[in-house]
Amino acid sequence: MSKAIKHLEWRYAVKKFDTTKLIPEAKVAVLKQAFNLTATSYGLQPITLAVIQNKALQKQLVMHSYDQAQVAQASHLLVICIENNINAEYIKAYFEQVKKIRGTSDAILNPFKESMLHSFAEKDTLEIKEWAKNQAYLSLGNLLTVCAWEKIDSCPMEGFDPDAYDTLLGLKEKNLTAVLVLPIGYRAHDDVFSTFKKVRRDIDKSIIEIF
């Protein structure tokens, strides 16, 4: 069995974290970089990661997370947010970043930029929000895989009150909306779920091969 598969077999959605163990900052830095390297549509990165290590705040957020205790138990709480203003200014800033990093000329970039500006101008706010949410899920999958590789435990969550999170974390002022929550840390020794076998469909039911 490959190392990658062994790490993914080891991973599960932790139900109880060890509150005495903290993730080293070097490992947290790896997750930050992994998030920033996530593939996103057009490369626009309409997502931001909030990294929380504040027990008082984490405890406050439990009541806004359907009382899921992992939010408070975790070493760190990661909140994946989407940008609220994916507009012409945001898109133009992306192309300026391309020019800065790659030195690509306007002659090459402008046709792509104009096409993207036109495409987003035709989308309504809800369409853009749903598009951005899809990118958030891409980043969640990436983080889960990197967590498994780094032997960091995690528990992905969709069940929380975004408005309450936005208010408590001051996200509204930053033009962000919380869409996913990921407590991370180390599993408690008495979390019985750590010993359960994974329940998955037979691989020939979940994979089709087309030649």
Side-chain angles (χ1 to χ4, degrees), residues 148-200:
W149 189 263
E150 295 290 333
K151 287 297 177 82
I152 295 169
D153 286 301
S154 60
C155 182
M157 295 179 177
E158 294 178 291
F160 70 102
D161 181 349
D163 285 336
Y165 266 67
D166 292 349
T167 300
L168 280 170
L169 301 179
L171 298 176
K172 293 177 181 178
E173 292 79 7
K174 296 178 173 64
N175 287 314
L176 298 171
T177 297
V179 294
L180 292 165
V181 175
L182 184 65
I184 58 173
Y186 297 105
R187 64 190 68 178
H189 68 87
D190 58 346
D191 184 357
V192 295
F193 285 85
S194 66
T195 63
F196 288 2
K197 289 184 176 180
K198 284 195 181 300
V199 179
R200 297 291 189 274

Side-chain angles (χ1 to χ4, degrees), residues 29-81:
V30 170
L31 296 183
K32 291 175 183 176
Q33 290 186 48
F35 176 84
N36 200 45
L37 288 168
T38 295
T40 59
S41 178
Y42 302 107
L44 278 178
Q45 290 183 280
I47 50 177
T48 297
L49 184 67
V51 181
I52 302 158
Q53 189 185 17
N54 180 318
K55 287 300 175 187
L57 185 53
Q58 288 172 239
K59 286 176 182 176
Q60 272 187 281
L61 289 168
V62 170
M63 66 182 290
H64 303 298
S65 311
Y66 296 97
D67 293 322
Q68 295 177 91
Q70 300 100 308
V71 169
Q73 296 166 352
S75 167
H76 294 66
L77 183 66
L78 307 184
V79 181
I80 301 173
C81 311

Side-chain angles (χ1 to χ4, degrees), residues 120-175:
F120 274 81
E122 290 189 327
K123 301 180 192 296
D124 61 31
T125 303
L126 183 59
E127 280 182 284
I128 294 174
K129 184 176 181 180
E130 288 304 309
W131 167 80
K133 276 179 148 182
N134 289 339
Q135 314 316 305
Y137 278 91
L138 285 174
S139 72
L140 175 64
N142 198 33
L143 285 172
L144 290 174
T145 301
V146 175
C147 278
W149 189 263
E150 295 290 333
K151 287 297 177 82
I152 295 169
D153 286 301
S154 60
C155 182
M157 295 179 177
E158 294 178 291
F160 70 102
D161 181 349
D163 285 336
Y165 266 67
D166 292 349
T167 300
L168 280 170
L169 301 179
L171 298 176
K172 293 177 181 178
E173 292 79 7
K174 296 178 173 64
N175 287 314

